[in-house]
Amino acid sequence: MADFEAMKVEILSGVGRAKAKALASVEVETVLDLLTYYPRRYIDRTNRAAISDLEDGVEAMVMARVDSVFSKRLKGSRTMVRVTVRDDTGRLGLIFFNQPWRDRQLSEGQEVVVFGKLDRYRGQNQMTNPIVDLVGDETGRIVPVYPQSGKAGLQTREIRRWVDEALRRSEPRGISDPVPESLRQRHGLIDRHQAIEGIHRPDSINAQFTARNRLVFDELLRLQLKLIMRKRAAERAAHGICHDTSGELVNRFTASLGFPLTDAQRRVIAEVVADLARPVPMHRLLQGDVGAGKTVVAVAAMLTAVQGQHQGALMAPTEVLATQHFLGIRSLLQDLTVPASGTLLAERPLKVALLTNQTPGAERAHIQESLASGVVDIVIGTHALIQEGVEFSSLGVVVVDEQHRFGVEQRAALRAKGAQAASPDVLVMTATPIPRTAAMTVYGDLDVSTLDEMPPGRTPISTRWARSAAEEAEVWEQVRAEVDKGRQAYVVCPLIEESESIEARSVTETYERLQAGELTGLRVGLLHGRLTPAEKESVMDLFRSGAIDVLVATTVIEVGVDVPNATVMVIVDADRFGIAQLHQLRGRVGRGDQESSCCLLAVDAVGVAAERLRALVETTDGFELAEADLELRGEGTILGERQKGRNDLLLASLRRDKDWVVWAREAAGEMLDDDPDLQQKSELRAEVELLLVDDDADYLLKS
Ligand code: ADP
Ligand code: MG
């Protein structure tokens, strides 16, 4: 691979200045780029239609010869290119809007493959903006089509010739195959030379699949090798705290809860505690649906630190959430005392503090002092925790809630509050689960624990999608009926990404409209991001205490707000939210023992937006929804944040290749068990280094 990377495409015969430039425009500069310039799709020539057989409104593929090309400027800067093609059976017009380069791409006499839908216009056969590929006199049965090649002026035939040449020239030395024979056999993988050939020149659609499988495996294997190597190297380099896990504080805590732990909580706490006992700092991601009971796990982790004379810190993304956590955790820990040998009773009360930017100066100074001296055992807060001046006596466990809301630097800053000599253990929590195989890829360098079981006695939330004005009216009736029964409701207004002030204005309008109309006579409150923290807190207090019946809010209530008496969640313009966010919002109700419901208002939702709403109506299982989300959005968005540099996942798809992800991870783990630095597999190691940029893998270790 390194050899191919070192060769510029110009060394191939037939690649002169013009072709090199065309190749560069599709980011192919080296022979390695060329070999990994994979076809976007394949044309199976046996499926082609004759022009005279085309049916109106039906998609089809024809092979034809260009008769004429005619280009025209339209109003504004728009352009139209009109091309006529013919085969033995008839003529077909192709109309291209705003693709002026078609004029250069197509010329009389060329052989083209056209794929599109026929529409008959004034008695003429034509296709608008069809896909066109230049295949020349290609004779194979399966013809690859390369991405953007038409625009770049490249023909399949040429690309294939260059690939052939590269493969032929490498023959004397052979293309190395760093994947051991035993592994190839286990998964029925063909060798790499065959795979590269097969992806560019498959002799059947099946051959293309076999080739693809092999190359997909290679991509995923490299990624997993990198992730696992980094994780293990970081573990070797860092010094953590060996927490004393023999104490009884955690047991006291779980015994003091008014409920038994779920099996999932028990399992996950054991995983966390086992990490804490090791000298290696923990980097664990805790995923669990809204309401799965992550807080109990977080508290157990922090208490493990406390019983060994260390401290715990929990950072939440918003003021409201931090306060909520503080109130909740303080009450969970109310009666708990810490074994303390030096004191008269050999026990002392546990000290929990809240630190946010709203904490008044004097109190803040006091808390900071108590943190530095070790008087405070557990501190809960916002970004205020990572500000200068906040020092710990001995920070042992850091918990970050809703990790996706924090930047990498913020998480690293909190971790850096630990002692120089020993890094604190880190638990990041998220209520936005991602499918298991996606987690292996995106969070492959973290350990992942999953709370996949809900505490018993939850009343399921029923979800309905109101699609008409009449159904919307029923929703407001339902809100009034619940309030009559003494319950409360949330109304969430659409997300307006461009501007917080527009969003505030829009939610205020909705608030006023509802108060004057559908919800008249009820006690309605308003919450949005533009209020001061004190105002927000006072609205939340009123809602918590029941002095407000209906809270009209922006997504500031998305995470963590816990008001068990709220039984209805109305989401206005629900089609403007993503699945994960809708699911989060819905999780704000169903927190008490009353039946709860979520109403999605979206009269004109169609397409993918409608699919999202349908998924929400069908299931309340966060993991099922995560799968649905992945299906609907594609993996780009999940990987997006991490894959900025060179992306080695050219073929692999987290949706299509789930099994390969699992197998590659397994294989990578085994290889590294035997050979931690891949010393005996230097080729493979070189490939990993060549093809993967560090940024990708760095990303989460910092978090
Ligand atoms: P989340 O995972 O969304 O952070 P929380 O930790 O806030 O969930 O827990 C949601 C609610 O469930 C809280 O009121 C909590 O006290 C309660 N809870 C947690 N674990 C259990 C359990 N094992 N049995 C019953 N209720 C539980
Ligand atoms: Mg929570």
Side-chain angles (χ1 to χ4, degrees):
M1 293 295 127
D3 290 348
F4 285 136
E5 172 75 0
M7 292 178 220
K8 295 280 170 223
V9 280
E10 282 93 335
I11 70 150
L12 298 168
S13 53
V15 182
R17 283 233 338 251
K19 288 296 171 191
K21 210 169 145 211
L23 283 166
S25 75
V26 290
E27 283 165 21
V28 172
E29 284 169 10
T30 68
V31 173
L32 180 63
D33 296 334
L34 177 73
L35 295 180
T36 55
Y37 178 45
Y38 297 125
R40 153 169 62 105
R41 57 197 181 83
Y42 298 84
I43 296 169
D44 186 345
R45 292 201 169 198
T46 52
N47 283 341
R48 73 190 218 223
I51 289 180
S52 62
D53 293 342
L54 294 177
E55 286 173 51
D56 206 8
V58 178
E59 281 193 333
M61 183 190 81
V62 295
M63 295 190 61
R65 185 182 297 273
V66 176
D67 253 6
S68 67
V69 182
F70 167 74
S71 136
K72 181 174 162 185
R73 286 205 163 279
L74 304 175
K75 256 185 253 144
S77 55
R78 302 190 344 119
T79 60
M80 184 182 95
V81 177
R82 190 187 160 84
V83 177
T84 309
V85 299
R86 76 161 70 235
D87 68 4
D88 297 341
T89 69
R91 269 155 55 111
L92 174 67
L94 311 177
I95 312 291
F96 300 96
F97 290 107
N98 295 324
Q99 301 177 23
W101 51 272
R102 293 288 185 188
D103 190 15
R104 271 167 284 127
Q105 180 201 20
L106 301 168
S107 57
E108 205 187 315
Q110 250 168 347
E111 291 284 349
V112 292
V113 171
V114 181
F115 184 83
K117 195 189 279 182
L118 184 78
D119 57 79
R120 239 179 265 277
Y121 179 73
R122 293 187 186 157
Q124 303 263 21
N125 280 342
Q126 72 176 42
M127 289 182 180
T128 306
N129 291 339
I131 296 169
V132 175
D133 297 304
L134 303 183
V135 289
D137 48 6
E138 193 56 63
T139 52
R141 200 169 72 87
I142 309 289
V143 182
V145 177
Y146 291 89
Q148 299 292 313
S149 55
K151 194 168 182 174
L154 294 163
Q155 300 198 11
T156 292
R157 185 166 45 125
E158 304 172 303
I159 296 168
R160 189 186 260 195
R161 203 176 60 230
W162 296 324
V163 168
D164 279 349
E165 186 190 336
L167 290 174
R168 203 173 53 245
R169 282 167 67 162
S170 68
E171 233 148 55
R173 283 179 55 195
I175 291 186
S176 68
D177 193 335
V179 173
E181 176 64 34
S182 59
L183 197 54
R184 274 187 274 154
Q185 273 186 357
R186 191 195 303 170
H187 298 299
L189 294 167
I190 57 175
D191 81 34
R192 189 181 272 175
H193 187 122
Q194 253 183 303
I196 296 175
E197 218 165 30
I199 199 101
H200 292 284
R201 187 196 273 283
D203 40 28
S204 66
I205 288 292
N206 201 34
Q208 175 264 318
F209 280 126
T210 324
R212 182 182 179 279
N213 280 348
R214 168 59 212 258
L215 298 169
V216 161
F217 182 78
D218 285 9
E219 290 178 2
L220 293 168
L221 178 68
R222 285 191 289 265
L223 181 65
Q224 292 300 337
L225 284 169
K226 178 104 178 185
L227 290 168
I228 298 175
M229 272 198 290
R230 299 211 124 233
K231 176 167 183 285
R232 293 186 183 176
E235 286 178 358
R236 284 194 297 272
H239 295 282
I241 303 166
C242 290
H243 290 273
D244 173 12
T245 55
S246 67
E248 53 175 323
L249 196 55
V250 175
N251 291 341
R252 277 191 198 178
F253 164 64
T254 52
S256 78
L257 293 170
F259 43 77
L261 296 180
T262 62
D263 288 342
Q265 281 171 322
R266 218 179 290 282
R267 185 190 73 238
V268 169
I269 290 175
E271 286 165 3
V272 169
V273 168
D275 279 358
L276 293 177
R278 294 170 63 210
V280 176
M282 168 170 80
H283 290 281
R284 187 171 284 277
L285 174 76
L286 172 57
Q287 341 186 44
D289 216 336
V290 216
K294 295 185 289 297
T295 314
V296 168
V297 177
V299 171
M302 293 192 286
L303 288 176
T304 308
V306 170
Q307 79 188 352
Q309 322 303 325
H310 300 288
Q311 294 157 297
L314 187 155
M315 182 160 72
T318 65
E319 188 83 25
V320 168
L321 193 50
T323 310
Q324 189 102 40
H325 266 310
F326 172 69
L327 296 174
I329 290 177
R330 197 178 53 178
S331 84
L332 283 179
L333 296 177
Q334 219 163 31
D335 304 319
L336 211 61
T337 54
V338 187
S341 48
T343 64
L344 200 54
L345 297 168
E347 293 287 336
R348 65 173 180 81
L350 186 82
K351 185 105 174 83
V352 185
L354 173 69
L355 185 66
T356 73
N357 287 331
Q358 287 315 108
T359 312
E363 197 183 328
R364 181 189 189 87
H366 176 68
I367 293 174
Q368 290 190 358
E369 228 174 80
S370 317
L371 277 173
S373 66
V375 171
V376 166
D377 297 297
I378 291 179
V379 67
I380 291 157
T382 55
H383 306 79
L385 290 178
I386 56 180
Q387 277 161 12
E388 223 165 296
V390 178
E391 276 163 38
F392 290 82
S393 153
S394 174
L395 181 57
V397 168
V398 166
V399 180
V400 181
D401 196 16
E402 298 306 334
Q403 57 95 24
H404 62 280
R405 295 217 163 186
F406 286 102
V408 174
E409 300 74 24
Q410 292 167 324
R411 284 171 266 166
L414 182 56
R415 210 168 43 154
K417 296 276 179 192
Q420 282 292 317
S423 307
D425 292 277
V426 181
L427 182 69
V428 294
M429 305 199 289
T430 178
T432 309
I434 62 175
R436 194 171 80 98
T437 47
M440 276 184 187
T441 313
V442 185
Y443 299 125
D445 42 11
L446 287 183
D447 294 304
V448 179
S449 287
T450 302
L451 284 180
D452 50 7
E453 180 189 353
M454 282 289 175
R458 288 290 156 81
T459 44
I461 304 168
S462 63
T463 301
R464 61 183 289 197
W465 168 17
R467 299 176 212 205
S468 64
E471 285 175 352
E472 279 194 13
E474 281 170 32
V475 166
W476 300 118
E477 273 317 303
Q478 189 187 344
V479 170
R480 302 189 69 101
E482 285 294 303
V483 170
D484 274 348
K485 284 193 260 169
R487 311 275 165 249
Q488 290 164 284
Y490 297 98
V491 176
V492 177
C493 292
L495 184 74
I496 297 171
E497 264 156 14
E498 306 86 62
S499 144
E500 202 180 47
S501 65
I502 300 180
E503 185 168 87
R505 212 183 316 140
S506 133
V507 69
T508 308
E509 275 167 26
T510 306
Y511 162 77
E512 284 164 359
R513 197 192 68 223
L514 290 172
Q515 212 175 23
E518 288 89 339
L519 300 182
T520 181
L522 306 187
R523 295 169 301 171
V524 185
L526 174 66
L527 186 69
H528 60 71
R530 274 299 169 102
L531 299 178
T532 66
E535 287 168 333
K536 277 187 219 163
E537 203 33 63
S538 111
V539 175
M540 276 315 295
D541 278 343
L542 289 172
F543 191 61
R544 262 186 224 117
S545 70
I548 287 177
D549 300 316
V550 180
L551 185 61
V552 178
T554 55
T555 53
V556 289
I557 62 144
E558 182 187 351
V559 281
V561 173
D562 196 2
V563 178
N565 193 45
T567 53
V568 186
M569 163 69 59
V570 181
I571 303 176
V572 180
D573 289 349
D575 50 335
R576 302 189 45 171
F577 295 89
I579 285 189
Q581 209 171 13
L582 289 170
H583 182 58
Q584 287 283 315
L585 287 168
R586 177 168 62 180
R588 297 305 110 214
V589 294
R591 310 209 127 219
D593 47 15
Q594 297 300 316
E595 237 165 73
S596 296
S597 58
C598 171
C599 309
L600 308 170
L601 306 189
V603 174
D604 353 272
V606 289
V608 174
E611 291 294 323
R612 290 199 296 262
L613 300 179
R614 220 164 276 137
L616 264 293
V617 171
E618 266 161 32
T619 181
T620 51
D621 181 318
F623 285 90
E624 264 178 49
L625 286 169
E627 293 280 356
D629 202 16
L630 187 59
E631 287 295 327
L632 291 174
R633 288 193 309 169
E635 56 258 44
T637 12
I638 287 188
L639 286 176
E641 205 179 352
R642 300 201 67 181
Q643 307 286 324
K644 284 194 201 103
R646 177 170 186 154
N647 186 346
D648 189 35
L649 297 186
L650 295 170
L651 287 172
S653 148
L654 297 180
R655 279 179 291 170
R656 288 173 65 184
D657 303 313
K658 287 181 194 150
D659 289 342
W660 291 111
V661 173
V662 177
W663 292 330
R665 183 161 184 87
E666 195 181 271
E670 283 170 20
M671 280 184 183
L672 294 169
D673 287 344
D674 298 344
D675 184 3
D677 299 312
L678 294 181
Q679 301 227 329
Q680 287 133 56
K681 299 196 177 62
S682 53
E683 262 175 6
L684 191 53
R685 190 189 165 113
E687 254 177 47
V688 171
E689 275 162 16
L690 176 68
L691 293 169
L692 282 164
V693 277
D694 274 349
D695 307 2
D696 288 353
D698 269 345
Y699 181 78
L700 267 149
L701 280 182
K702 287 205 198 105
S703 61

